[in-house]
Amino acid sequence: MQRRDAQQCRLRRISASKPSHRMRSQGGVTEIWDPAEDQFQCAGFAPMRDTIQTNSLSLPKFFPAPRLVYIEQGTGVMGISYPGCPETYHKDQQFSSGQGQRGMSGDQHQKVHRILRGDVVAVPAGAAHWCYNDGNEELIAVSVLDLNNNANQLDQNLRGFMLAGGQSRHGQERYERSSQRYAGQSEWSHEETFHNIFRGFDEELMAEAFNVPRETVKRMRQDSNRGLIVKCREDMRIMSPDQEEQEEFEYSPRNGLEETFCTMKIKHNIELQRQADVYTKQGGRINIANQQKLPILQFLDMSAERGHLMPNALYTPHWSMTDNRVVYALRGELNAQIVDERGNTIMNERVREGEMFVIPQFYATLMRAGNDGFEWVSFKSSSQPMKNPMAGSISVMRAMPIDVISNAYQISPSEAEQLKTNRDPQSMLLSPARTSS
Amino acid sequence: MQRRDAQQCRLRRISASKPSHRMRSQGGVTEIWDPAEDQFQCAGFAPMRDTIQTNSLSLPKFFPAPRLVYIEQGTGVMGISYPGCPETYHKDQQFSSGQGQRGMSGDQHQKVHRILRGDVVAVPAGAAHWCYNDGNEELIAVSVLDLNNNANQLDQNLRGFMLAGGQSRHGQERYERSSQRYAGQSEWSHEETFHNIFRGFDEELMAEAFNVPRETVKRMRQDSNRGLIVKCREDMRIMSPDQEEQEEFEYSPRNGLEETFCTMKIKHNIELQRQADVYTKQGGRINIANQQKLPILQFLDMSAERGHLMPNALYTPHWSMTDNRVVYALRGELNAQIVDERGNTIMNERVREGEMFVIPQFYATLMRAGNDGFEWVSFKSSSQPMKNPMAGSISVMRAMPIDVISNAYQISPSEAEQLKTNRDPQSMLLSPARTSS
Amino acid sequence: MQRRDAQQCRLRRISASKPSHRMRSQGGVTEIWDPAEDQFQCAGFAPMRDTIQTNSLSLPKFFPAPRLVYIEQGTGVMGISYPGCPETYHKDQQFSSGQGQRGMSGDQHQKVHRILRGDVVAVPAGAAHWCYNDGNEELIAVSVLDLNNNANQLDQNLRGFMLAGGQSRHGQERYERSSQRYAGQSEWSHEETFHNIFRGFDEELMAEAFNVPRETVKRMRQDSNRGLIVKCREDMRIMSPDQEEQEEFEYSPRNGLEETFCTMKIKHNIELQRQADVYTKQGGRINIANQQKLPILQFLDMSAERGHLMPNALYTPHWSMTDNRVVYALRGELNAQIVDERGNTIMNERVREGEMFVIPQFYATLMRAGNDGFEWVSFKSSSQPMKNPMAGSISVMRAMPIDVISNAYQISPSEAEQLKTNRDPQSMLLSPARTSS
């Protein structure tokens, strides 16, 4: 089965954009890029950024599409519950809220995951998840939903299903229309979603279903004052397994049928320089989280890339054969050019920290870092993304015979050879200022 | 390849609905739920109900999407022809119309299948099929087409291609607009489809193609008086293999390339209490037909569930991670609540025998049987459906640490523990009246 | 991930059509069938025909969808570049433009493929490709893009991304509105696409990226005068491996992970009579290129069929279970009838050389060759296409018991038996004039 929608990609202009909506909560802020903006609508992407204060909990929720999360700052624990997975990961002495009301057996629940800066976390469509900041600084999580994904059989609209809390309908929440370069009209309203779904059930029926007092049910349905992120009453001492032990477990080899969602690794860190997948001296480096690195991505059909361009270095001109991408600027500045099939420059802009822009599939792009370099993370709608570089050692120029290039551009064979080899041995990332012009 | 369509799921209200169109035939009745109704359009479902009289034949036809059929009543034989499959299943003495005109070799044709109450039958997109009632009571078959399925590269419109018979264009058939709660306006007309496709071919060209007299061709093209289901002139003694023998054959283990559509089992009975997949004392039971039980469903990407709720028992509040569902009420009454992402109750209704309603993917639902219990069959747009229960022993509550629940709802740890465990050991189906309110 | 679009298939009439747009280039002509025409829009097909003069080069370009090419006439070499594939297929003495400017190492580039009449060539979505006519006659290549394909995450619009040349925006190119039977209004304009994408990049940034003089970049961006196909200055002696040696290599058995796009065979010849997949005396023959014959088609999810009907022979009435098809007439005439689910004849026309028409999935068709026979190639949106014939030895009639046919059409058992067997042993292609009318 699949879903489908009246998607159109008539992009005349792409601009880097900031979040268009902001929802303040007791324990943090949720910012949303307008999913009806042309570039996001074409790609089917819904980007968000959560800022969770210390000792605060991003409440359990789920989305109608797979979600890829990048931890921009901080540390915390995250739970992604999956029906039928065992609840024996943590119990008795490991867990104690200090209140002593529970018996010897302690609390049993599904595995929780320690997350930290640089982690990419994969959340399947419809999986309930929560996140607690147990660190000493704000936890910032940037994420993208792939609403066009096969896993979503509804339409392309952004929906957030809250299992607790939720924004109020009565205007208590505040949002600010960002006064930025994006000036499009959107029909989308964040007030339409992120509500507590328990509100819709009959209170008495719920009490019977959970077999709890109606007073408890009243609390579950309450959404009026704390929003999507709440302050915790005291430190939650949620223990996650020792980091290395966990990693070891998660890297266990595939063993057939037992490798289900329950035991699959759900995160991969793309911050470490020594694990870079692409490295060019004076150019920069790229770390990738694709289905080879993080097998669960095969089911989500998404992937991510963390990049670092040196000052004034270039990302080779290229196009993607496989996916739409959305680039989120972490640090520094970038000049980004995107060209469509008419040869029109649909983007030629300076991108700054905190902004996002989409590079549509097949559209050619050429990017250059500013004087202080540029760092980014990008989210892609394929778990095995493939780029087609135009310059450098694995480029489309390199693949063609000199005679073809020479005749195609009416240049001499030696000029054609320069086009093929003058960037050797660089491939994706190019060092600055080697132009012979 | 895939097809796509301007699907939208802006469901403000879901109501249980009865068929909107009825086509009377010589040997029975075909009822159709309006596929343009919002709930069916969103899910891409086209539901139908065929009532075939004794000694009557539902004429050969095919549809542009996979069809899952549930036999609600009666017994019969069914043929699903697939190009290239062998025609040696039945011959000589097994087959005889008693008229003796055929030679010693008898009739060779593809396998026919005995079907009976409780069978789920899988019909691939584009496969011609027919059904003959050789029993002593009316044969009632409820079915759903998954028009959004990958196998359909046309648009989402319901199309019925008749290889014989067909409704008349000239008004002989009758239909009644059901005077029920569904009051929507629909552009869809059943008069647009279910016609004899041979009418469109040149008569002489057809006679040449089949190498038969034009008189035979005239008969093939006739669609004016008998409709979609015909009375047979005398009992057809179509022999199907002895039931157990057939089952044994069909359960043969997978042996690689030979397991094609020709040899795959096409039906699975979901009526037997002793084979229930879920059972709760005083709650009820569920039988499932998914791709593990009936491997051909992997290719159809559909599945079915047969359920039985005890009087006043509850179906745990839950949402589907994987599929849209349509529920058909077989017996008894159900109070069904469905909640959307805005926390709105989009359905809160009593569902009665013979009615259908859609539970969209990701939308939360909570259901309670009436005083006489409730029985249903549901059809799903995934061959490996997965639900996320909110209450009970495998619920999302159970998966979360007590501290998370306690902080999320501002309740005490002991109240949180109650939310997790007060329904133990029940999971999907919950016994009534254990509420402590 | 997938893309989707507001596709509709409300086909009231299908007509054979000729190209609606023509782009003249220095070295040939590119003709395009209007992709907005109802039949092509429904199927998501964009058909094209390139006529490349001798010693001319169809410039490197890529498309947002997989492309299947049939070489109607001539011989040449073709390059399909794929990022990361080795560039060691041809070097030093094999390659020499005769100008001696390059060093001892010669030119390294990716494999080039010899193509000739009757070849079906598979070009993945987003793969840059070029074609050079090194033969003695015009090279004519007919091709179809499958814009509905999963590999395309943009919308269904035809886009051509030129890596060199490109049509001018300033009216130098000419196009002629074909004065044919197709009289539909189309919003599509070929002026919107097939432009040089390098035009959109900053000249200085490009020079830096390629590390070449700005003069070279100016040449790369030039699109004003030579179009999509250029005359070469002198014969390119691009050597392709000896034909048989290449074939041997390409037929190497699957060896797991090493069988990547880099080593996969990309073409299959469907011209040879002795390799016909279907043959009927006085009927004709069919050669097929599906994923069994050409495994890369599994990834493209397309296939092709080359057919030859003898004078007045018939293609058995049938429907496709799996795919939309577009038929291109190579030689002779055909009377084609197509019937929809309402029993309406939506096509009943004489199709002539050079015309195309779509047979939508599930729609029944019956075709008869003219007095001089008929030859065609058809392109399909499935890599494993399956037809359901209505007459002949593997037909849906043959699959049904005589009693079913007899009751369905109210004919005698012996007439029913004639329907089943009177075309034996013929199946797909039927010899003419055996009608007993």
Side-chain angles (χ1 to χ4, degrees), chain C residues 54-88:
Chain C
T54 56
N55 192 33
S56 294
L57 175 70
S58 177
L59 291 167
K61 68 178 84 54
F62 63 91
F63 291 101
R67 185 186 200 191
L68 217 52
V69 184
Y70 172 77
I71 307 300
E72 183 176 352
Q73 176 187 297
T75 181
V77 291
M78 192 163 170
I80 304 175
S81 64
Y82 217 79
C85 292
E87 285 139 29
T88 52

Side-chain angles (χ1 to χ4, degrees), chain A residues 1-12 42-43 146-150 152 156 300-301 312 314 316-324 335 337-345 348 360-368 381-382 386-415 417-420 422-423 430-437, chain C residues 1-6 26 57 59-60 62-65 81-84 87 95-97 99 101-103 105-112 124-128 130 132 150-165 169 187 191-202 204-216 219-222 225-226 230-238 261:
Chain A
M1 238 301 311
Q2 51 166 319
R3 54 161 296 270
R4 60 208 56 111
D5 211 345
Q7 177 219 31
Q8 281 293 325
C9 289
R10 303 204 185 243
L11 300 163
R12 296 293 164 180
C42 164
D146 179 14
L147 292 165
N148 275 359
N149 197 280
N150 266 322
N152 177 18
Q156 201 178 309
L300 275 73
D301 206 6
N312 302 309
L314 291 88
T316 187
H318 68 276
W319 70 91
S320 169
M321 301 175 75
T322 50
D323 55 281
N324 292 306
N335 179 261
Q337 300 188 345
I338 301 179
V339 179
D340 69 10
E341 80 279 8
R342 301 178 301 275
N344 291 332
T345 313
N348 187 11
Q361 189 187 16
F362 304 118
Y363 281 45
T365 183
L366 173 51
M367 301 183 281
R368 181 186 200 158
S381 59
S382 167
M386 188 174 291
K387 289 187 199 81
N388 221 324
M390 300 191 209
S393 64
I394 57 166
S395 68
V396 62
M397 291 298 161
R398 192 61 170 269
M400 290 192 285
I402 281 177
D403 284 343
V404 170
I405 298 173
S406 162
N407 276 286
Y409 298 129
Q410 292 189 290
I411 57 180
S412 73
S414 65
E415 287 170 313
E417 192 171 14
Q418 286 177 34
L419 267 182
K420 293 184 67 164
N422 267 12
R423 268 295 179 179
L430 310 174
S431 58
R434 293 181 56 184
T435 177
S436 45
S437 67
Chain C
M1 239 300 308
Q2 51 167 318
R3 55 159 297 269
R4 60 207 57 109
D5 211 344
Q26 185 195 41
L57 175 70
L59 291 167
F62 63 91
F63 291 101
S81 64
Y82 217 79
E87 285 139 29
F95 251 92
S96 156
S97 73
Q99 309 205 16
Q101 286 123 321
R102 275 158 281 143
S105 65
D107 185 24
Q108 295 202 352
H109 57 80
Q110 287 184 10
K111 189 176 184 175
V112 298
W130 51 267
Y132 173 64
N150 267 321
N152 177 18
Q153 295 189 12
L154 299 181
D155 56 31
Q156 202 178 309
N157 294 309
L158 169 59
R159 292 172 165 90
F161 296 84
M162 300 297 302
L163 291 166
R169 292 152 205 261
E187 297 172 33
E191 298 177 47
E192 289 284 311
T193 191
F194 294 103
H195 288 288
N196 187 315
I197 59 175
F198 287 122
R199 287 179 58 99
F201 289 134
D202 178 75
E204 189 164 344
L205 209 53
M206 263 185 73
E208 184 174 346
F210 284 94
N211 192 25
V212 296
R214 287 180 68 156
E215 187 51 41
T216 304
R219 296 291 187 109
M220 294 171 75
R221 293 153 53 96
Q222 217 154 32
N225 52 1
R226 299 195 298 160
V230 299
K231 279 275 174 208
C232 293
R233 289 172 299 193
E234 58 182 290
D235 275 11
M236 289 201 283
R237 272 161 289 171
I238 298 171
F261 280 108

Side-chain angles (χ1 to χ4, degrees), chain B residues 274-316:
Chain B
R274 62 178 161 82
Q275 293 179 356
D277 296 279
V278 173
Y279 172 75
T280 301
K281 199 180 165 187
Q282 291 184 292
R285 63 177 194 272
I286 294 174
N287 289 42
I288 293 171
N290 61 12
Q291 71 175 50
Q292 276 74 42
K293 301 278 182 68
L294 186 55
I296 198 176
L297 293 180
Q298 186 181 347
F299 300 99
L300 275 73
D301 205 7
M302 296 183 76
S303 60
E305 171 187 299
R306 171 76 169 88
H308 185 118
L309 270 175
M310 304 284 278
N312 303 308
L314 290 88
Y315 206 128
T316 186

Side-chain angles (χ1 to χ4, degrees), chain A residues 292 384 386, chain C residues 82-86 89 110-111 113 124 249-250 252-266 295-297 299:
Chain A
Q292 276 74 40
Q384 283 193 301
M386 188 174 291
Chain C
Y82 217 79
C85 292
Y89 281 97
Q110 287 184 10
K111 189 176 184 175
H113 306 270
F249 170 76
E250 293 183 333
S252 67
R254 301 176 70 105
N255 54 350
L257 294 173
E258 280 140 63
E259 197 199 51
T260 62
F261 280 108
C262 298
T263 58
M264 285 184 100
K265 195 186 164 201
I266 56 97
I296 198 175
L297 293 180
F299 301 99

Side-chain angles (χ1 to χ4, degrees), chain A residues 144-335:
Chain A
V144 171
L145 296 175
D146 179 14
L147 292 165
N148 275 359
N149 197 280
N150 266 322
N152 177 18
Q153 294 188 14
L154 300 181
D155 57 31
Q156 201 178 309
N157 294 309
L158 170 59
R159 292 171 165 90
F161 296 84
M162 300 298 301
L163 290 167
Q167 44 169 333
S168 161
R169 291 151 207 262
H170 307 299
Q172 286 95 328
E173 90 283 6
R174 306 225 302 272
Y175 75 95
E176 299 152 6
R177 186 72 187 183
S178 70
S179 57
Q180 66 186 73
R181 283 169 286 177
Y182 165 64
Q185 295 292 322
S186 166
E187 297 173 32
W188 183 78
S189 163
H190 73 296
E191 298 175 48
E192 289 284 311
T193 191
F194 294 104
H195 289 288
N196 186 314
I197 58 175
F198 288 122
R199 288 179 59 99
F201 288 133
D202 178 75
E203 197 174 287
E204 189 165 343
L205 209 53
M206 261 185 76
E208 183 175 347
F210 284 94
N211 192 23
V212 296
R214 287 180 68 156
E215 189 51 41
T216 303
V217 167
K218 279 187 209 299
R219 296 291 187 109
M220 294 171 75
R221 293 153 53 94
Q222 216 155 33
D223 70 356
S224 56
N225 52 1
R226 298 195 301 160
L228 314 183
I229 305 167
V230 299
K231 279 274 173 211
C232 293
R233 290 171 299 193
E234 57 183 291
D235 273 12
M236 289 200 284
R237 271 161 288 170
I238 298 171
M239 304 286 289
S240 66
D242 172 78
Q243 183 72 4
E244 284 183 87
E245 188 186 332
Q246 184 182 10
E247 291 296 328
E248 205 169 280
F249 171 77
E250 291 183 335
Y251 275 106
S252 68
R254 302 176 69 106
N255 55 349
L257 293 174
E258 280 140 62
E259 198 200 50
T260 62
F261 280 108
C262 299
T263 58
M264 284 184 99
K265 196 187 162 201
I266 56 96
K267 68 192 171 75
H268 177 71
N269 195 283
I270 52 176
E271 211 66 18
L272 296 175
Q273 184 170 352
R274 63 179 159 83
Q275 293 179 356
D277 297 278
V278 173
Y279 173 76
T280 301
K281 198 179 164 187
Q282 291 183 292
R285 64 175 192 272
I286 294 174
N287 289 42
I288 294 171
N290 60 12
Q291 71 176 49
Q292 276 74 40
K293 301 279 182 69
L294 185 57
I296 198 175
L297 294 180
Q298 186 181 346
F299 300 100
L300 275 73
D301 206 6
M302 298 183 75
S303 59
E305 170 186 301
R306 171 75 169 89
H308 185 118
L309 270 175
M310 304 284 278
N312 302 309
L314 291 88
Y315 206 128
T316 187
H318 68 276
W319 70 91
S320 169
M321 301 175 75
T322 50
D323 55 281
N324 292 306
R325 281 171 284 169
V326 57
V327 178
Y328 174 70
L330 291 167
R331 256 172 297 284
E333 291 189 347
L334 178 78
N335 179 261

